[in-house]
Amino acid sequence: MSTAIVTGQPVPGSPLESDLRALGFEVLTAFDAADTGNLLAAVPADRRVAVVDARFVGHLHALRLGLTDPRFPLAAIPGAVTAQPAGRQALSRALAREASAGGGTDLAVDGLVTALDADVHRPELGSLVAAVPADPQARNEARQAVAAVDDEAVRLKSAVKSRDGFFTTFFISPYSRYIARWCARRGLTPNQVTTASLLTALIAASCAATGTRAGFVAAGVLLICSFVLDCTDGQLARYSLQYSTLGAWLDATFDRAKEYAYYAGLALGAARGGDDVWALALGAMILQTCRHVVDFSFNEANHDATANTSPTAALSDKLDSVGWTVWVRRMIVLPIGERWALIAVLTAATTPRITFYVLLIGCAFAATYTTAGRVLRSLTRKARRTDRAAQALADLADNGPLAGFVSRTRRAPLGSPLLLALAGVAVLTVSLFSGVTWAPVAGAFLYAVASGRALAAPLKGALDWLVPPLFRAAEYGTVLVLASKAGVNGALPAAFGLVAAVAYHHYDTVYRIRGNAGAPPAWLVRAIGGQEGRTLVVTVLAALLTAAQFKAALTVLAVAVAGLVLVESIRFWVSAGAPAVHDEGEPA
């Protein structure tokens, strides 16, 4: 329940009170600053409260944007301010100062906002009207301005991401926004739509797993339907301002679960037809996950860096000023819309093997393009990275107890973190393809030492954001190579399960960092060994066990890691202290 205090002399014929009630507010009336303060003090501390000037003229959606967004403790638009429980004290202090300064006069709500000693969110209203007219003529002009703008059209338009891929923008959003409105009018929540999207994708994966042409066609159609719902849930959240921490977590994790489950379905379907493509499915998941880690690491490294814009960034901005280049550049990086459309069409028209070949080639090109551009930006700008950025990169690295012990030694640094990481990955790669049974174990041990030394100093170098992606590629690649070498049925599916469980842990780490909640707890990282510990364990198991035993060990390891990370992740994201993370940036 929320309470709105309308302060000042009521204006005859004003729809303000009915608009506030339509937004779910209980409406109280105050006549001056002292009266407003008394009513505010009487409102229960666990309620959202708004103070609105009785002379307010504006769109209903302007009030909705200013007064109902759950993400901000304090928010304001001209003539109205709102406070959630976390912002109530700041609002009470400001109101007390205004009442003391103004005596028994009418309360100026905009002056109250200015007096707040805390950050106040001010939403972008665009063409929406929100004003406090000073006289009848100004009021009449404001009402005419309200009538001239269709706030429902503005609301629908603002439900769509301002920056999205070509396929999403032109083939999905033109109608998915209306599906979002339909859902809102029937009381559906974004979380329900997100869950429906997941279920649709899982059914699509099940259809692909049949291995029949009809199953593949149905899978492609259902995958597009799942993507439509995936767009709808975010648009519904923006349309009705139904943001939540649980919704953010579901949206962030379900996208990856849907895509990787579909890969598994394609591999199962191919196996029914006698074609083993599990190595391709695992390779596609590894490539896609490493692409995301490149994105996350680069963004975190430059989150609060201070430097002049690089020539590469300036060229990029110049290209973005030319309409067609914007869409070409967004398409060639294969964001989720283009990627899923490609997968759906190839599934329906070709075979799983061809689908994975094209996907791997396309994603490899996209990864090369984006990574090369970010390397050039990093080399051509002199950024000073903060301790926060260095800590975020260290958390993304996911080093465990063994690397942690090495990094705490008192030896002087042996070189730059990136060079140490590259050396460790190179040694590990050579050992995996050496043909000597125990060579991968020695290579993994040296890699663990290099991982620890790489993080002995803060990751503040120009290219140190590449360290976490290198670690992801090394760990996931080790599992893929050793499972492929096992040569026994079931080894690669078990490896797929293990990499999926570990990848979930790494995505979970990313979204905690984005919400300024830090890395997962240290006990969890220790319990699952850290990236270098898991790499070493897998190489030891491959050297000690038979192929069949190695397959079983990978399965047990996958179940154990998945159980631990899922339980802790669910506990964290449904807790009251979880951050509200909403990805409005680059399409995934």
Side-chain angles (χ1 to χ4, degrees), residues 233-464:
D233 64 1
Q235 291 166 358
L236 175 58
R238 287 182 286 273
Y239 180 84
S240 56
L241 300 184
Q242 295 184 73
Y243 299 108
S244 68
T245 55
L246 178 61
W249 172 67
L250 291 177
D251 188 52
T253 56
F254 279 11
D255 278 353
R256 306 286 79 79
K258 288 181 285 189
E259 185 167 355
Y260 299 155
Y262 192 84
Y263 292 173
L266 279 177
L268 288 169
R272 287 181 178 273
D275 189 12
D276 186 357
V277 297
W278 275 105
L280 296 177
L282 180 52
M285 181 167 66
I286 291 172
L287 179 56
Q288 191 57 38
T289 303
C290 290
R291 278 188 64 196
H292 285 144
V293 177
V294 168
D295 295 342
F296 299 145
S297 295
F298 178 80
N299 290 335
E300 287 303 323
N302 294 283
H303 180 267
D304 47 9
T306 55
N308 292 327
T309 303
S310 70
T312 308
L315 175 61
S316 178
D317 293 339
K318 185 176 181 179
L319 289 174
D320 278 346
S321 66
V322 182
W324 65 270
T325 63
V326 175
W327 296 116
V328 170
R329 296 173 71 215
R330 291 188 192 180
M331 290 173 67
I332 63 177
V333 299
L334 275 186
I336 187 170
E338 277 74 2
R339 193 167 66 249
W340 283 25
L342 177 68
I343 294 170
V345 171
L346 290 173
T347 299
T350 64
T351 66
R353 180 172 290 274
I354 292 175
T355 300
F356 281 124
Y357 279 150
V358 175
L359 181 64
L360 285 165
I361 292 170
C363 287
F365 176 81
T368 302
Y369 170 78
T370 55
T371 303
R374 286 166 179 170
V375 167
L376 285 174
R377 287 192 184 198
S378 300
L379 291 175
T380 55
R381 70 195 297 250
K382 297 179 180 179
R384 294 185 59 187
R385 296 201 167 88
T386 62
D387 292 337
R388 177 202 176 279
Q391 184 58 54
L393 292 178
D395 292 337
L396 287 172
D398 192 36
N399 276 358
L402 178 56
F405 173 77
V406 173
S407 67
R408 289 190 296 271
T409 58
R410 296 295 181 179
R411 303 173 190 171
L414 300 176
S416 77
L418 177 60
L419 291 178
L420 287 168
L422 282 169
V425 172
V427 169
L428 177 61
T429 302
V430 170
S431 70
L432 288 171
F433 293 98
S434 67
V436 180
T437 301
W438 284 91
V441 177
F445 179 78
L446 293 175
Y447 166 75
V449 173
S451 298
R453 295 307 302 162
L455 264 68
L459 298 178
K460 293 187 176 182
L463 296 177
D464 284 352

